[in-house]
Amino acid sequence: MSYSVGQVAGFAGVTVRTLHHYDDIGLLVPSERSRAGHRRYSDTDLDRLQQILFYRELGFPLDEVAVLLDDPDADPRAHLRRQHELLTARIEKLRKMAAAVENAMEARKMGINLTPEEKFEVFGGKDPEQYAEEVEARWGDTEEYAESQRRVARYTKEDWQRIQDEAADWDGRYGALMAAGEPPAGEAAMALAEEHRQHICTWFYECSYELHRCLGGMYVSDERFKDSMRPGMAEHLRDAIQANADRHQA
């Protein structure tokens, strides 16, 4: 069984031009050519392409990827183990980034247009300065943090009140859902999980499904967030977020 360059591009989500480039530099040379001279890729070629894309996603330059894959002493399982370790480290970093950006929603720059009295009025008595120094020291250079700060710097008191009202409305509906015994993987819970993600995208930063998973995990692992929710909500919401992400990424 072999595949055309167009088919492989479709499978892998890359461009035909990218595959041509990989061939030109010797990184991924197709095993066969048709009678007309067109590239034909085998299953072994697809396995190699998968490894290339794994390493590229992890930030490795092409020349380093070639060295890694062409090492005669390398065990294919060793590649997978290494990639798993690197991806696990990235997931942990994303989780921490997510926590930082979530905390940044309550940081001082969020209320740049508000008086001190208005800050506490809008945030219901919570100190919006509480996590500011921690967030900026650890995660101030992330794109998500920067995007959040760019957006919220323009918000007025009315904007913040709308954000709080939307959040309160969502919280009430989620509480009712839990009280009714709806499972986290049910349609109703997943719909509210998606609404939760869209709220973040609308007001703060582009929250991917993977980043949303990280937020769900943070709600359970970080006692500061868990304690601010109704009993059992952190775990229920985390599971609903996971189920929602699974169905959209399937």
Side-chain angles (χ1 to χ4, degrees), residues 4-25:
S4 70
V5 67
Q7 287 176 307
V8 174
F11 296 154
V14 298
T15 64
V16 169
R17 183 177 179 181
T18 293
L19 295 175
H20 287 177
H21 179 59
Y22 288 173
D23 185 6
D24 292 340
I25 64 176

Side-chain angles (χ1 to χ4, degrees), residues 31-50:
S31 299
E32 303 173 23
R33 293 274 179 168
S34 69
R35 289 183 179 179
H38 298 147
R39 296 170 175 86
R40 302 293 300 182
Y41 293 82
S42 67
D43 287 329
T44 299
D45 296 332
L46 296 186
D47 288 341
R48 181 177 175 92
L49 177 59
Q50 182 187 54

Side-chain angles (χ1 to χ4, degrees), residues 21-182:
H21 179 59
Y22 288 173
D23 185 6
D24 292 340
I25 64 176
L27 181 60
L28 179 65
V29 178
S31 299
E32 303 173 23
R33 293 274 179 168
S34 69
R35 289 183 179 179
H38 298 147
R39 296 170 175 86
R40 302 293 300 182
Y41 293 82
S42 67
D43 287 329
T44 299
D45 296 332
L46 296 186
D47 288 341
R48 181 177 175 92
L49 177 59
Q50 182 187 54
Q51 294 297 315
I52 292 169
L53 296 180
F54 276 149
Y55 278 121
R56 290 295 287 151
E57 181 65 24
L58 290 165
F60 283 73
L62 291 177
D63 55 349
E64 289 187 23
V65 174
V67 171
L68 288 167
L69 295 183
D70 293 334
D71 181 356
D73 298 323
D75 180 348
R77 291 172 297 180
H79 282 299
L80 291 174
R81 283 195 297 270
R82 183 180 188 191
Q83 289 162 351
H84 182 268
E85 291 170 358
L86 292 170
L87 286 168
T88 300
R90 172 173 286 192
I91 290 169
E92 177 62 16
K93 182 178 179 181
L94 282 172
R95 188 194 67 78
K96 291 179 179 179
M97 286 172 58
V101 175
E102 188 81 0
N103 288 344
M105 294 177 187
E106 301 184 46
R108 61 178 177 273
K109 291 183 181 178
M110 294 178 64
I112 195 169
N113 294 324
L114 307 184
T115 67
E117 293 78 13
E118 288 172 333
K119 289 180 183 179
F120 286 96
E121 175 187 344
V122 170
F123 286 99
K126 292 187 291 185
D127 183 0
E129 301 274 341
Q130 182 177 2
Y131 304 118
E133 291 185 5
E134 174 189 344
V135 170
E136 289 188 353
R138 297 180 61 189
W139 311 110
D141 60 347
T142 64
E143 181 53 35
E144 288 82 0
Y145 180 89
E147 176 63 20
S148 176
Q149 298 309 296
R150 283 193 293 268
R151 294 193 196 184
V152 302
R154 302 190 300 268
Y155 291 167
T156 63
K157 177 182 178 180
E158 290 70 28
D159 292 325
W160 285 115
Q161 191 61 60
R162 181 179 174 187
I163 292 170
Q164 292 297 307
D165 289 345
E166 288 181 4
D169 176 70
W170 177 91
D171 182 77
R173 287 182 288 125
Y174 204 96
L177 176 148
M178 291 178 59
E182 289 284 344

